[in-house]
């Protein structure tokens, strides 16, 4: 077998161009096979490390739990650790959100409530706060300092008036930049304070817990969620009062879908690499028939022939794989930093700190081993058919074999020769070779077009158009139950609605404003069950200018503007069917309009069911005309001003709108640009990663075209030399080669665009149905197709020029004497 290895190494050196191309394909395949799982798992590990550093450690919590239920939960056999939290109220502040809460010692550990100094409160007047919270009130002090703060007690129906309470600071919680930026704080009080302020019967506890690891072997994310919901069900706790700490669970339990996604991508890489390497060997095998036939004639067995082909490929792999792993290792850190998903500077800083601290292993030996094993497997699969073909070549077949690209018996005489006919003769002389080259490149082309279709449909502009109607949106900032801010109650807001006709006229006069579309929002009660789970507590009235969009979105039934204006008919948003699947066109819903003074009942008939963007409906599921909604109340129930402007964004116009809003916080302003920027940031990283991955796959498959063209020149050296001896110029030869390359390109593009468009449209329909990236409309990826065409033509032109230059380096005599 030593002779077999020496022959394989000699062949590898002799067929240098083919093995260089094969090596490049193996090199790139190795890079992908190592980087894809490494980046995927490293990104997840970094996110998990961030979660484990910052998130509370409880698996789930149950809200609105009384003392008896909490005691029963503490004793449950599936719960490893449980703790209690009870929110007593807030410290009133105009610009900060400060929760006053009590937690037992177990809850303190589950919340990571560690003190920077001092002790936890025990007496009724002791308080744990943070330096940032003191600064919000303009107070300075330390341990033992007496302070007075305005306390708002939580009541069953809302929040009480603020009343001063005196406290002694007994400890400090550490501040973090997230709390300081968002002005959100937590103050800890003692159980004695809770007993003094909140009667036992009025307390609603939150029970935090961790499930026991012994509940089920090999517990994963899905089973953890099932166990949590089963515990709640056994105590009659509704799912709406169950909060699962999903980020923490994801960081500590296996999510099988992640591994499935990585496996699918690896299979795609294996398929692309296998097809490419096989195609390279298949195309080059034609010129080696005599070689293998001679080996058979001198006594080589079929097994030895197979081993020669296999070892040649493995020797190439032994050089390419280490190079691929070395380059991959250098790329891991830069890629991880590049794909950092968070737009929050604090999270981004923590992300980079974890990468630099070596807290997690970025370079996992398992992935090195995985890349090596799978790459060698890919090479073996690629060589399986070439090995079988080589072993079956007989000495007689080798003697009869003609090295030219077209068999003599297949040649047809031509009364006239032209460059086009010469190119066609070469292409049709080996149809199988041409077809394999085109199909192997087309498979990757289909993947590129499919991915490009999804990314082109995931347009941040259209997503923003879907999430906000117009360029600016003014809405009411209502709040229920806060006695310190009774002006924010809905019934008070509509008494003197800040979205007034006067404000509308002022907005209309601003430069750049084309139209102000106002819609009516009514608070209602319905006869539907479990409305607290669906949010069906409002009826939205839209003006006639929105009716074309209402009409366009209808999926079932039909509606005319006159039917909606009548006041007896509504359009149901199809999202309602998630909670009420039995609702259908023709059903009726009983509503009671709540406007603070009268309760008007009305029976409304569903005349159509439609699907509409959030920006138009504001997640209101019962839709009618503005005229009909206005007749159901005597108040000004305008809920939204949608401002249509002549520009997508105008900073001067936004500033003018904020000036009109004044200093009151009864209105909220949202902008199209803010929504667009959020979507653009979300999709940017995904787009870059996807096209980088597909770009490498495409480059792997371009090796097919390069190999086919090189071999076409190599086996026709003698023929081309004779043609040039009788008058063919270098320009004509270059033109002939360009025509041959153009055939491969056109064939590849036709199959890629046709197949990719069909598959891409199917994926688009699936993505739209599943609301992936808020996709709403189909877009043909014209830009991606144009880039693909330009790249392939450029590669073909460069390749042709290099091949002609290579041929010109040899004299006509050398080419005519050429023999394989």
């Amino acid at each position: 077998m030593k002779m077999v290895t020496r022959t394989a190494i000699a062949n590898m050196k002799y067929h240098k161009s083919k093995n260089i191309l094969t090596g490049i394909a193996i090199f790139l395949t190795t890079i992908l096979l190592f980087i894809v799982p490494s980046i995927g798992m490293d990104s997840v590990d970094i996110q998990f490390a961030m979660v484990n550093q910052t998130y509370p450690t409880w698996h789930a919590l149950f809200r609105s739990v009384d003392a008896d239920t909490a005691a029963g939960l503490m004793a449950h056999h599936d719960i490893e650790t449980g703790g209690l939290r009870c929110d007593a109220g807030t410290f009133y502040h105009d610009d900060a959100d400060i929760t006053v809460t009590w937690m037992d010692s177990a809850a303190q550990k589950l919340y990571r409530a560690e003190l920077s100094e001092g002790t936890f409160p025990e007496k009724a007047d002791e308080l744990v706060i943070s330096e940032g919270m003191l600064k919000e009130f303009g107070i300075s002090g330390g341990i033992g300092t007496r302070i007075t703060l305005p306390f708002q007690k939580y009541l069953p129906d809302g929040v009480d008036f603020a009343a001063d309470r005196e406290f002694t600071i007994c400890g400090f919680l550490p501040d973090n930049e997230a709390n300081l930026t968002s002005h959100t704080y937590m103050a800890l009080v003692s159980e004695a304070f809770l007993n003094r302020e909140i009667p036992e019967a009025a307390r609603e506890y939150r029970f935090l817990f961790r499930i026991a690891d012994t509940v089920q072997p090999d517990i994963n994310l899905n089973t953890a969620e099932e166990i949590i919901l089963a515990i709640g069900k056994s105590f009659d706790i509704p799912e709406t009062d169950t909060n699962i700490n999903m980020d923490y669970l994801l960081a500590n339990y296996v999510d099988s879908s992640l591994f499935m996604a990585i496996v699918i991508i690896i299979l795609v890489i294996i398929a692309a690499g296998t097809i490419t390497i096989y195609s390279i060997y298949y195309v080059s095998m034609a010129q080696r028939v005599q070689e293998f036939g001679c080996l058979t004639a001198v006594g080589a067995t079929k097994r030895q022939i197979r081993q020669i082909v296999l070892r040649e490929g493995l020797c190439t792999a032994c050089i390419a794989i280490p190079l691929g792993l070395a380059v991959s290792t250098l790329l891991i850190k830069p890629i991880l930093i590049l794909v950092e998903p968070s737009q929050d500077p604090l999270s981004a800083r923590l992300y980079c700190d974890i990468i630099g601290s070596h807290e997690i292993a970025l370079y996992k030996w398992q992935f090195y081993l995985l890349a090596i094993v799978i790459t060698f497997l890919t090479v073996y699969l690629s060589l399986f058919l070439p090995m079988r073909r080589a072993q079956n070549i007989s000495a007689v077949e080798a003697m009869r074999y003609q090295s030219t690209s077209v068999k003599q018996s297949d040649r047809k005489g031509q009364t006239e020769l032209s460059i086009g006919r010469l190119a066609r003769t070469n292409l049709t002389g080996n149809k199988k070779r041409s077809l394999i080259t085109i199909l192997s490149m087309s498979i990757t082309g289909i993947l590129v077009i499919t991915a490009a279709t999804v990314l082109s449909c995931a347009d941040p502009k259209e997503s923003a158009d879907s999430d906000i109607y117009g360029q600016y949106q003014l809405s009411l900032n209502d709040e229920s139950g806060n006695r310190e801010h009774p002006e924010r109650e809905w019934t008070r807001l509509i008494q003197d609605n800040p979205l007034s006709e006067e404000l509308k006229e002022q907005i209309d006069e601003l430069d750049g404003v084309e139209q102000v579309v106002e819609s009516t929002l009514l608070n209602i009660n319905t006869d539907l069950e479990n409305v607290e789970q669906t949010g069906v507590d409002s009826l939205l009235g839209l003006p006639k200018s929105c009716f074309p969009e209402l009409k366009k979105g209808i999926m079932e039934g039909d509606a005319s503007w006159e039917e909606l204006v009548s006041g007896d008919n509504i359009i149901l948003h199809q999202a309602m069917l998630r909670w009420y699947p039995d609702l259908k066109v023709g059903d009726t819903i009983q509503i009671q309009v709540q406007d603070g003074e009268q309760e008007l009942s009305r029976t409304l008939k569903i005349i159509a069911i439609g699907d509409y963007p959030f920006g138009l409906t504001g997640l209101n599921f019962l839709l009618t005309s503005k005229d009909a909604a206005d007749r159901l109340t005597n108040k000004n129930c305008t809920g939204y001003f949608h401002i249509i402007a002549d520009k997508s964004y105008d900073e001067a116009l936004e500033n003018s709108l904020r000036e009109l809003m004044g200093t009151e916080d009864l209105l909220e302003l949202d902008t199209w640009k803010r929504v667009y920027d959020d979507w653009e940031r979300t999709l940017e990283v995904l787009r870059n990663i996807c096209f980088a991955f597909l770009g490498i796959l495409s480059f792997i498959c371009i090796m097919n075209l390069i190999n086919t063209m090189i071999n076409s020149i190599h086996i026709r050296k003698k023929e081309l030399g004779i043609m040039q001896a009788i008058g063919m110029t270098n320009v004509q030869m270059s033109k002939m080669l360009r025509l041959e390359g153009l055939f491969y390109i056109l064939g590849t593009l036709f199959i890629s665009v046709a197949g990719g468009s069909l598959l891409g449209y199917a994926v688009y329909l699936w993505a739209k149905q599943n609301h992936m990236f808020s996709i709403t409309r189909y877009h043909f990826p014209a830009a991606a197709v144009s880039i693909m065409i330009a790249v392939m033509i450029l590669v073909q032109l460069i390749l042709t020029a290099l091949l002609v230059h290579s041929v010109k380096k040899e004299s006509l005599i050398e080419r005519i004497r050429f023999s394989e």
Side-chain angles (χ1 to χ4, degrees):
M1 295 303 288
K2 185 181 294 185
M3 182 59 67
V4 171
T5 302
R6 291 174 62 184
T7 303
I9 294 175
N11 285 343
M12 184 182 71
K13 294 178 180 178
Y14 181 75
H15 301 287
K16 189 186 303 181
S17 60
K18 178 210 59 165
N19 285 298
I20 288 175
L21 294 176
T22 304
I24 293 173
I26 296 172
F27 168 77
L28 295 173
T29 301
T30 305
I31 289 177
L32 288 180
L33 287 173
F34 180 73
I35 283 183
V36 167
S38 294
I39 294 298
M41 293 306 299
D42 286 350
S43 297
V44 172
D45 288 347
I46 294 169
Q47 293 296 326
F48 291 171
M50 293 171 64
V51 168
N52 283 325
Q53 284 188 18
T54 58
Y55 274 59
T57 62
W58 47 266
H59 290 167
L61 67 79
F62 295 133
R63 301 186 191 89
S64 304
V65 175
D66 58 34
D68 292 337
T69 303
L73 287 166
M74 287 287 191
H76 197 279
H77 61 279
D78 287 344
I79 293 178
E80 177 185 76
T81 304
L84 288 178
R85 166 184 169 178
C86 183
D87 293 343
T90 67
F91 286 136
Y92 174 71
H93 193 284
D94 286 332
D95 300 320
D97 183 7
I98 305 168
T99 302
V100 180
T101 190
W102 166 81
M103 289 187 285
D104 64 13
S105 58
Q108 291 168 5
K109 293 179 181 178
L110 292 172
Y111 264 110
R112 299 181 184 270
E114 298 178 357
L115 302 182
S116 57
E117 62 175 308
T119 61
F120 286 101
E122 294 181 359
K123 298 179 182 179
D125 64 343
E126 289 184 335
L127 181 69
V128 169
I129 56 175
S130 70
E131 292 285 355
M133 179 182 142
L134 282 180
K135 290 179 181 179
E136 295 284 354
F137 287 101
I139 300 174
S140 61
I143 302 296
T145 302
R146 295 285 291 179
I147 58 174
T148 301
L149 297 174
F151 174 66
Q152 284 185 275
K153 184 189 305 184
Y154 283 157
L155 299 175
D157 59 345
V159 184
D160 202 355
F161 292 103
D164 288 342
R165 297 285 190 275
E166 286 193 7
F167 296 95
T168 299
I169 300 175
C170 66
F172 282 94
L173 290 167
D175 282 311
N176 57 62
E177 293 188 48
N179 289 342
L180 296 174
T181 302
S182 63
H183 302 282
T184 303
Y185 306 91
M186 177 181 289
L188 299 181
V189 293
S190 64
E191 188 173 9
F193 178 87
L194 188 70
N195 292 333
R196 187 184 74 188
E197 298 289 340
I198 311 293
E200 178 70 29
R203 294 179 200 168
E204 288 188 349
Y205 293 99
R206 298 184 185 185
F207 182 78
L208 336 157
F209 64 95
R210 292 175 60 90
I211 56 177
D213 291 336
T214 57
V215 173
Q216 183 173 327
D218 300 325
I219 190 169
N220 58 37
L221 182 66
N222 295 329
T223 54
E225 187 174 358
E226 291 172 1
I227 292 168
I228 291 168
L229 295 177
I231 295 172
K233 187 175 182 180
S234 65
F235 285 88
D236 296 324
I237 298 173
E239 289 189 26
T240 52
D241 285 336
T242 302
N243 181 14
I244 299 176
N245 192 357
M246 193 60 70
D247 290 316
Y248 184 79
L249 289 178
L250 279 169
N252 292 276
Y253 291 104
V254 176
D255 183 6
S256 57
S257 62
L258 172 65
F259 294 108
M260 183 60 67
I262 292 176
V263 168
I264 291 173
I265 295 174
I266 288 176
L267 290 176
V268 171
I269 297 170
I270 292 173
T274 300
I275 292 169
T276 301
I277 299 170
Y278 165 72
S279 177
I280 292 173
Y281 269 87
Y282 174 84
V283 171
S284 63
M285 193 61 69
Q287 71 189 75
R288 304 180 64 181
V289 171
Q290 290 182 337
E291 174 188 329
F292 292 117
C294 291
L295 289 172
T296 302
V298 297
T301 64
K302 289 187 175 182
R303 183 175 183 274
Q304 289 173 326
I305 296 294
R306 289 200 309 271
Q307 286 297 311
I308 289 172
V309 176
L310 177 60
R311 293 185 189 190
E312 182 182 343
L314 293 181
C315 287
T316 305
C318 287
I319 298 173
I321 291 175
L323 290 175
L325 292 176
V327 172
S328 302
T329 302
L330 297 175
L331 291 176
I332 289 295
K333 263 191 180 180
I335 293 176
L336 282 171
I337 295 173
L338 182 66
V339 302
E340 194 280 311
S342 176
Q343 301 302 319
D344 177 18
L346 302 178
S347 298
R349 187 185 309 164
L350 180 58
Y351 182 96
C352 294
D353 289 344
I354 291 174
I355 293 176
S357 66
H358 306 291
E359 182 178 335
I360 66 169
L362 299 180
Y363 311 103
K364 299 175 175 62
W365 66 266
Q366 298 95 327
F367 292 146
Y368 284 100
L369 181 61
L370 179 72
I372 293 171
V373 171
I374 294 182
T375 305
F376 274 118
L377 176 62
T378 302
V379 173
Y380 178 80
L381 292 174
S382 306
L383 297 177
F384 184 76
L385 290 179
M387 284 191 296
R388 289 177 60 86
R389 184 182 179 196
Q391 75 175 13
N392 292 326
I393 296 174
S394 66
V396 175
E397 181 184 352
M399 294 294 292
R400 291 176 176 174
Y401 175 75
Q402 297 292 328
S403 63
T404 54
S405 61
V406 184
K407 295 179 181 180
Q408 296 293 338
S409 58
D410 292 337
R411 289 186 182 273
K412 295 182 180 180
Q414 302 286 342
T415 57
E416 293 182 6
L417 277 180
S418 66
I419 299 302
R421 286 176 178 175
L422 287 173
R424 185 178 62 187
T425 299
N426 179 52
L427 293 170
T428 58
N430 196 330
K431 298 184 180 68
K432 189 174 181 180
R433 180 199 66 185
S434 300
L435 184 61
I436 287 176
T437 301
I438 290 173
L439 289 179
S440 61
M441 292 194 296
S442 297
I443 291 173
T444 302
I446 289 172
L447 289 175
V448 171
I449 297 299
T450 301
T453 299
V454 175
L455 293 174
S456 64
C457 292
D459 184 352
K461 180 181 182 301
E462 291 185 359
S463 298
D465 290 340
S466 175
D467 287 352
I468 185 170
Y469 187 69
Q471 284 67 50
Y472 306 89
Q473 176 180 284
L474 279 173
S475 59
L476 296 175
N477 181 20
D478 62 302
E479 183 180 357
S480 178
N482 189 341
R483 296 190 180 184
E484 198 65 35
H485 288 286
E487 74 279 2
R488 297 180 187 172
E489 292 285 344
W490 175 258
T491 53
R492 290 283 297 273
L493 280 173
I494 60 177
Q495 299 288 340
D496 186 17
N497 195 330
L499 294 177
S500 62
E501 191 65 29
E502 180 183 358
L503 178 62
K504 181 183 177 182
E505 292 175 356
Q506 291 175 334
I507 294 173
D508 269 326
E509 294 174 357
L510 295 177
D511 291 337
V513 174
E514 295 182 347
Q515 183 184 6
V516 179
V517 178
E518 59 179 314
S519 54
T520 297
L521 187 65
L522 300 179
N523 272 8
I524 62 171
N525 293 326
T526 71
D527 60 350
L528 299 173
E529 298 179 356
N530 300 321
V531 293
E532 67 277 1
Q533 298 183 22
T534 64
V536 187
D537 58 358
S538 57
L539 174 68
L540 182 68
L542 294 169
K544 190 173 183 179
S545 60
C546 296
F547 181 69
E549 294 186 54
L550 285 176
K551 186 80 173 176
K552 182 180 179 181
I554 291 177
M555 303 166 60
E556 297 180 38
D558 195 13
S560 66
W561 183 247
E562 289 72 21
E563 288 176 308
L564 294 178
V565 171
S566 69
D568 298 321
N569 304 303
I570 57 171
I571 296 176
L572 183 73
H573 196 298
Q574 64 90 23
M576 275 279 289
L577 301 180
R578 174 184 175 186
W579 296 282
Y580 303 103
D582 295 331
L583 286 178
K584 58 185 181 300
V585 174
D587 289 350
T588 59
I589 297 177
Q590 185 75 27
I591 70 165
Q592 295 84 39
V593 179
Q594 307 291 322
D595 64 4
E597 289 187 358
Q598 59 179 353
E599 186 172 301
L600 177 64
S601 297
R602 181 68 62 90
T603 300
L604 302 177
K605 180 181 178 181
I606 301 172
I607 59 173
I609 298 175
D611 186 12
Y612 302 103
F614 165 74
L616 181 66
T617 65
L619 286 182
N620 297 289
F621 301 143
L622 305 181
L623 311 173
T624 187
S625 70
K626 186 179 187 304
D627 294 338
D630 288 341
R631 290 200 301 270
L632 295 176
T633 178
N634 294 323
K635 303 295 185 299
N636 177 8
C637 290
T638 300
Y640 303 98
F641 276 175
H642 301 284
I643 302 167
I644 314 297
D646 58 0
K647 298 179 182 177
S648 297
Y649 178 71
D650 184 344
E651 185 178 359
L653 179 55
E654 180 183 354
N655 292 335
S656 298
L657 289 171
R658 294 194 182 280
E659 289 179 7
L660 290 179
M661 291 168 60
T663 57
E664 288 194 39
D665 57 357
L666 300 181
L667 293 176
E668 291 182 341
L669 176 65
D670 200 4
T671 69
W672 182 91
K673 184 178 184 299
R674 195 274 309 168
V675 179
Y676 173 84
D677 289 343
D678 287 348
W679 275 111
E680 178 66 23
R681 287 192 296 264
T682 300
L683 294 172
E684 182 178 6
V685 172
L686 176 66
R687 189 184 298 117
N688 292 339
I689 293 174
C690 187
F691 280 124
F693 170 73
L694 292 173
I696 296 176
L697 275 186
S698 301
F699 193 72
I700 291 175
C701 288
I702 285 175
M703 297 298 102
N704 292 328
L705 177 62
I706 297 174
N707 179 70
T708 301
M709 297 292 291
I710 289 176
N711 277 277
S712 176
I713 290 293
H714 184 73
I715 65 177
R716 289 190 295 158
K717 274 188 178 181
K718 185 173 183 178
E719 178 182 317
L720 291 174
I722 294 173
M723 294 298 296
Q724 286 199 288
I726 63 174
M728 175 185 276
T729 65
N730 288 329
V731 173
Q732 289 172 322
M733 182 175 65
S734 177
K735 183 178 179 182
M736 180 186 70
L737 294 176
R738 282 200 299 270
L739 288 174
E740 293 176 10
L742 186 61
F743 170 80
Y744 293 119
I745 289 174
L746 292 178
T748 299
L749 289 174
F750 176 77
I751 297 175
S752 298
V753 174
S757 297
L758 292 175
L759 182 59
Y761 188 76
V763 174
Y764 151 75
L765 293 176
W766 175 84
K768 181 181 179 182
Q769 182 179 0
N770 291 274
H771 305 286
M772 182 180 178
F773 305 130
S774 293
I775 288 175
T776 57
R777 285 188 287 180
Y778 174 78
H779 293 280
F780 179 75
V785 172
S786 300
I787 292 173
M788 179 185 291
I789 294 172
V791 168
M792 295 191 71
I793 291 176
L794 180 62
V795 169
Q796 195 266 338
L797 291 175
I798 295 174
L799 179 60
T800 301
L802 292 175
L803 290 175
V804 171
H805 177 72
S806 176
V807 171
K808 286 166 60 178
K809 285 167 44 176
E810 296 182 0
S811 67
L812 287 177
I813 302 299
E814 290 175 325
R815 279 179 266 166
I816 292 172
R817 288 177 176 174
F818 172 75
S819 174
E820 298 181 69

